[in-house]
Amino acid sequence: MRSIDHLFENSSRSLARRTSRRSLLATLGKLLTGAALIPLLPVDRSARAEAAEPATNPAKGPARAATDDPLSCEYWKYCAVDGFLCSCCGGSSNSCPPGTAPSPITWIGTCHNPSDDRDYIVSYNDCCGKASCGNCECNRNEREKPMYRPSRNNDLNWCMANADSNYHCSVSVILGVAEK
């Protein structure tokens, strides 16, 4: 046991002769700063988005296709939505329920409409002003970009721009046809 003590003592003394306290603190500071910056690096979350299965609305029967039903998470306009669907909360797929106001800041997505085989640019607005609706939760991440592209990310609370920042539900508004 004495030889291990001597080894550590000699190596510590050798290190103390070669370096100063300031250089040791500077190196330690660089290491800590570098470690703190690791979570800020871009992350590819496409595997998580492909693995996510959209929620379904079991109350609806087979009368309408899920891609044409605004009460279903599979509705084609909801390709990048994250939150509660306003169509289940007293509003519609493109208008906020009474007593709520749309956030002026939105995120966008490009969704494919299978009935006319065209792509549409869709703006997703959070409706703010009431407590969360809690009905028809839908989280689809098709073509979502990492956080360094906030306008294409649905994980932010977009109601922070409103006077009342309570999130209630989300709507999808078609902005136009995507050009190829």
Side-chain angles (χ1 to χ4, degrees):
M1 196 61 157
R2 198 160 171 90
S3 63
I4 293 176
D5 289 338
H6 284 294
L7 175 68
F8 277 105
E9 180 182 356
N10 290 338
S11 61
S12 298
R13 288 182 186 272
S14 174
L15 179 65
R17 279 192 294 271
R18 288 179 297 169
T19 61
S20 68
R21 284 184 223 144
R22 285 186 181 167
S23 68
L24 182 66
L25 289 174
T27 304
L28 185 62
K30 288 177 190 176
L31 288 173
L32 290 174
T33 302
L37 293 177
I38 287 175
L40 298 178
L41 294 174
V43 177
D44 180 17
R45 293 185 284 168
S46 59
R48 185 188 73 164
E50 290 171 6
E53 290 188 29
T56 59
N57 187 355
K60 295 298 288 180
R64 295 172 76 183
T67 58
D68 292 333
D69 184 6
L71 297 175
S72 170
C73 190
E74 285 86 20
Y75 186 40
W76 70 269
K77 282 193 339 181
Y78 298 153
C79 71
V81 75
D82 182 7
F84 303 111
L85 303 178
C86 284
S87 55
C88 296
C89 300
S92 68
S93 69
N94 60 357
S95 65
C96 291
T100 63
S103 175
I105 305 171
T106 67
W107 73 96
I108 59 170
T110 305
C111 300
H112 182 76
N113 185 350
S115 62
D116 66 2
D117 203 31
R118 296 171 83 182
D119 291 332
Y120 290 86
I121 300 169
V122 181
S123 171
Y124 296 96
N125 301 63
D126 283 346
C127 296
C128 315
K130 290 183 176 179
S132 289
C133 168
N135 294 329
C136 299
E137 183 176 6
C138 186
N139 183 16
R140 293 179 57 187
N141 298 306
E142 296 170 27
R143 300 183 185 127
E144 180 185 24
K145 297 296 181 191
M147 267 316 203
Y148 58 80
R149 293 281 306 270
S151 65
R152 301 288 302 272
N153 192 286
N154 63 14
D155 293 328
L156 298 173
N157 181 2
W158 296 98
C159 287
M160 296 308 286
N162 286 32
D164 187 350
S165 62
N166 286 327
Y167 167 78
H168 185 65
C169 60
S170 298
V171 297
S172 60
V173 179
I174 296 176
L175 297 178
V177 178
E179 295 181 11
K180 292 186 180 188

